[in-house]
Amino acid sequence: LYGWSAEEAIGRPASETILPPDAILPADEKEFNLALQRDGRWGGEYTVRRKDGSTFPAHVRSRLTSDQDGRVTGAVNVAIDITGRKESERALLEARNYLRAVTDSIGEGMYTLDPDGRLTYINHAARDLLGWSSEELAGRDMHAITHNRRTDGSPLPVEECPILQTRRDGKVMRVEDDIFIRSDGRELPVAY
């Protein structure tokens, strides 16, 4: 993981082997030492160094070791290279930000629901068309609020809602003539 042989590393301080020259110990050296003294262990993420000087993010768990009389004799540290996880997190954030930029800028209304039919995202166009703000709709049952009647005005039971049927059955459905209810109570003809 670090590139040092046992012969090279044993007996040398961590500051010469695995800590970058400008390293501040995880979560501030004082807090790190206090946690070790108080709890006998610490876990968290920080940047560590390889023999060649390159650095990488690591998740480290530290635990103090004691002798039979309870005196601290040292510490055991286990480190995991989390470079791949950090890259995945970064890529997911970039993809989410890109997708959000695309969906926010399209001219058609778009929203997403969780498996229970509650709003998880709504773009600007949908907010403008429906007249509801994201805050007013967040976490609320979209069928009950915006899609609870048929084009003839009769009630649309939740069991017959095409949007929720699609969510339940996992089948693509196209609807050409339907209505949503705007925040002011007016009907909004829609196709989806």
Side-chain angles (χ1 to χ4, degrees), residues 38-109:
R38 181 186 63 237
D39 305 327
R41 65 183 180 277
W42 181 87
E45 296 178 9
Y46 66 97
T47 301
V48 292
R49 169 175 57 126
R50 293 184 182 93
K51 181 180 178 181
D52 66 7
S54 64
T55 59
F56 62 95
H59 182 82
V60 178
R61 291 188 181 180
S62 300
R63 183 175 290 275
L64 293 179
T65 57
S66 305
D67 62 17
Q68 291 177 340
D69 297 325
R71 289 187 300 262
V72 174
T73 57
V76 174
N77 300 292
V78 176
I80 299 169
D81 183 347
I82 56 172
T83 302
R85 189 186 87 200
K86 290 291 190 183
E87 278 299 309
S88 294
E89 289 172 0
R90 185 194 57 72
L92 282 172
L93 283 173
E94 283 182 10
R96 185 199 70 192
N97 292 342
Y98 176 75
L99 181 61
R100 179 65 52 94
V102 170
T103 58
D104 278 351
S105 65
I106 62 175
E108 295 181 354

